[in-house]
Amino acid sequence: MKSYVNTVLFVFVICHASTVFSQIKFKSLRDFMQPAGDWLQASQVKVDSINNKIFSYEPGIDCFVNGAKGRTKYLVTKESFGDIELHIEFMLPQGSNSGIYFQSRYEIQLFDSWNATHLTFYDCGGIQQRWDSSKGDNGKGFEGYAPRLNACKAPGKWQELDVIFKAAKFNSAGEKITNAKFEKVILNGMVIHENVELSGPTKGALSEIEVARAPFRLQGGHGPVAFRNIKVRDLSNIRLSKPNMWVDLFENNEETGPNYDFIVNGDATNQEANTMFEYNGKELRAMYKWQETVAPYGIAITKKTYGSYDLKFEFKWGKRKFEPRLDKIRDAGLLYHCPVGSYAWPSSLEYQIQEGDCGDLWTILGTSCNVLKEGEIINVKKADYSRSKKWTNQEKSGWNKVLLEVRGDTAKYYLNGVLINQIVNATYGGLSLNSGFIALQAEYSEVIYRKIKIKEL
């Protein structure tokens, strides 16, 4: 079942009347402001066999390297961003240093912190300190946040960083009413920051004046660094909570646009995205317009994270199946508590939707939990993909009713009114897993979801 690589090249936002196609992977230096200094594209990047403080590489298109000398200007996006989710992979040789400046103002530090024990904000994943030149020598630097633990890999290893960043907010008079915040920072699968507010720009910021939207930039002047798989998801269209009210999980209105994304695996095109998913405000239909025999997989995922809630919907299988699952049972899923949402198959807890297995629990790519059955705690094996079967088969032909009751790190699975699974003690990245994005899967079979409602508590 869950044995595919988590790669995604595009996010697709499907509107009622028209389609918006938004590429979120930066694949070329042309995606950044020009001139780009000594930045170049390369492949086969590795630490040099003679000098472990520099890279060797071949010409190519797989990643971005800050030149042969390892010191050049910032690489700056052409587009400006507000609230985003960023996925980026990076490599550093021994002793090197770089950083990512969100909105060109708030830095996540990248540093060779392999084997470091006494962590500070200068270490890999640290949030850089603020700086006030008007203060004395002992007061120029203030704030700054060390990572919760050292998740840094050895020099020469590719490392993964996922960040949910929320920009500062302003009222109609331009006055700041909410600080910028790193809502979640995950380094190599470990949560190193949660809900860190920033009172202002950090040291090295482009400007001390905070704004709603601005480009992000990659530091290239402090030592050799390579980047690849840079993906951005816009999180700006988030609906305010309406506690204790049933509302549509997915909404799309003229004022704010859709509060969800369609994320499709592989090198998908605009046309392929349109034919894989369609949402009309009442039903989410997957694969009904697909004409090829081979299909990708994908998800419809929220832009908002949810913690404690009830979620309900109905689903029904269609007739057609697609390669590579033509000879297999129909499969889909409800993914919840996704720490990040830039993947077509994200880390998550899953309410399995599969013929004959509806209601099975899956823990996916770093999540873990226990099952609570008749008062007994049952351990679920920790692995990239682990399964705990439903207690009873309640699936029927035609429409089936799913209810998921989530209370932080616990959840109850219902199918057609019957409790069929219950989980407790959910964790991810070394911490309790008590919130995340919600996604509905399409996995090589026609399926319809309808009456998709959520009630936040």
Side-chain angles (χ1 to χ4, degrees):
M1 139 133 185
K2 311 301 182 191
S3 59
Y4 304 95
V5 176
N6 284 321
T7 59
V8 58
L9 298 187
F10 299 98
V11 169
F12 310 99
V13 181
I14 309 301
C15 305
H16 298 316
S18 61
T19 299
V20 178
F21 180 81
S22 176
Q23 181 183 4
I24 65 165
K25 183 166 184 177
F26 294 80
K27 299 192 293 183
S28 168
L29 285 175
R30 293 188 299 271
D31 296 328
F32 298 89
M33 290 184 180
Q34 299 298 318
D38 293 335
W39 286 95
L40 53 85
Q41 291 188 252
S43 64
Q44 301 182 38
V45 177
K46 58 185 178 181
V47 172
D48 187 77
S49 59
I50 298 174
N51 183 351
N52 61 10
K53 294 187 177 182
I54 63 173
F55 287 137
S56 65
Y57 48 81
E58 300 291 335
I61 60 172
D62 298 335
C63 57
F64 306 106
V65 178
N66 62 336
K69 295 180 180 179
R71 293 185 183 273
T72 188
K73 64 189 297 183
Y74 288 96
L75 193 59
V76 184
T77 62
K78 290 180 177 178
E79 186 174 352
S80 293
F81 299 97
D83 297 349
I84 63 168
E85 176 184 328
L86 172 70
H87 172 83
I88 192 168
E89 298 171 19
F90 65 94
M91 183 192 294
L92 298 167
Q94 187 180 68
S96 197
N97 175 10
S98 182
I100 304 168
Y101 280 83
F102 289 76
Q103 295 194 316
S104 300
R105 287 162 172 81
Y106 316 98
E107 184 187 12
I108 295 288
Q109 180 76 27
L110 305 181
F111 189 73
D112 172 24
S113 299
W114 174 243
N115 285 333
T117 55
H118 302 290
L119 303 180
T120 72
F121 53 80
Y122 278 121
D123 282 293
C124 197
I127 299 172
Q128 180 61 270
Q129 67 178 343
R130 298 197 61 204
W131 193 258
D132 186 348
S133 298
S134 68
K135 296 184 178 180
D137 291 340
N138 294 327
K140 290 182 179 180
F142 61 104
E143 296 181 4
Y145 302 91
R148 186 178 65 85
L149 50 78
N150 190 353
C152 187
K153 293 183 179 180
K157 301 289 187 181
W158 281 108
Q159 310 195 54
E160 297 190 18
L161 184 70
D162 291 280
V163 181
I164 298 175
F165 171 79
K166 297 300 179 70
K169 301 298 184 295
F170 305 86
N171 61 21
S172 58
E175 300 166 328
K176 186 171 75 168
I177 56 175
T178 305
N179 284 330
K181 178 170 65 174
F182 286 110
E183 189 170 285
K184 192 179 294 287
V185 181
I186 302 169
L187 178 60
N188 299 321
M190 299 302 294
V191 179
I192 58 173
H193 297 289
E194 281 192 316
N195 297 316
V196 178
E197 283 199 24
L198 305 170
S199 62
T202 61
K203 184 180 180 182
L206 177 67
S207 171
E208 288 294 316
I209 299 174
E210 298 183 279
V211 294
R213 300 180 68 85
F216 70 83
R217 57 181 184 161
L218 306 177
Q219 191 176 64
H222 289 185
V225 61
F227 295 103
R228 70 180 185 185
N229 292 340
I230 306 171
K231 297 176 284 190
V232 173
R233 192 163 79 102
D234 186 352
L235 301 180
S236 58
N237 296 333
I238 295 180
R239 176 183 55 210
L240 294 176
S241 297
K242 299 178 180 178
N244 302 311
M245 292 179 57
W246 286 105
V247 298
D248 291 331
L249 179 66
F250 300 133
E251 283 187 349
N252 184 5
N253 61 64
E254 293 182 359
E255 181 180 354
T256 62
N259 68 345
Y260 56 91
D261 289 321
F262 291 163
I263 300 185
V264 179
N265 181 66
D267 197 7
T269 66
N270 190 342
Q271 183 179 359
E272 288 170 338
N274 285 314
T275 54
M276 182 169 182
F277 285 108
E278 48 186 329
Y279 181 64
N280 61 12
K282 295 181 180 180
E283 291 183 342
L284 174 66
R285 300 169 66 91
M287 310 309 300
Y288 276 80
K289 295 168 61 179
W290 196 262
Q291 300 300 313
E292 305 295 329
T293 58
V294 179
Y297 57 84
I299 55 176
I301 188 165
T302 62
K303 292 188 175 186
K304 178 179 178 178
T305 58
Y306 296 86
S308 293
Y309 56 88
D310 293 342
L311 175 68
K312 63 182 180 180
F313 59 86
E314 299 176 6
F315 77 91
K316 181 176 72 172
W317 297 112
K319 293 181 179 181
R320 296 188 304 155
K321 296 185 288 185
F322 304 88
E323 293 180 6
R325 292 187 63 90
L326 279 172
D327 59 344
K328 296 180 173 60
I329 58 178
R330 292 172 175 82
D331 192 6
L334 162 61
L335 310 181
Y336 66 100
H337 279 8
C338 308
V340 294
S342 292
Y343 305 93
W345 218 314
S347 300
S348 58
L349 299 169
E350 179 175 10
Y351 182 125
Q352 173 73 75
I353 297 173
Q354 181 173 265
E355 288 180 307
D357 297 318
C358 194
D360 286 2
L361 157 74
W362 282 87
T363 60
I364 300 174
L365 295 171
T367 64
S368 65
C369 67
N370 304 122
V371 168
L372 178 61
K373 184 178 181 181
E374 298 176 349
E376 180 184 357
I377 299 281
I378 302 170
N379 292 326
V380 178
K381 180 182 177 181
K382 292 186 177 182
D384 284 347
Y385 302 96
S386 287
R387 179 187 189 187
S388 182
K389 290 187 67 62
K390 64 187 183 306
W391 304 337
T392 177
N393 185 13
Q394 297 297 320
E395 186 178 352
K396 59 185 183 182
S397 61
W399 290 103
N400 287 268
K401 296 181 178 180
V402 170
L403 172 64
L404 176 69
E405 295 180 348
V406 180
R407 306 293 184 267
D409 65 354
T410 70
K412 293 181 179 180
Y413 293 20
Y414 293 86
L415 182 62
N416 296 318
V418 179
L419 178 65
I420 56 173
N421 227 327
Q422 183 172 356
I423 72 109
V424 295
N425 305 325
T427 65
Y428 172 79
L431 296 176
S432 175
L433 179 59
N434 50 33
S435 66
F437 301 107
I438 301 172
L440 292 174
Q441 275 187 320
E443 192 180 339
Y444 314 117
S445 300
E446 290 180 338
V447 63
I448 304 176
Y449 301 98
R450 72 178 186 186
K451 301 179 181 178
I452 311 166
K453 302 283 185 178
I454 191 166
K455 180 172 66 175
E456 294 186 75
L457 304 175

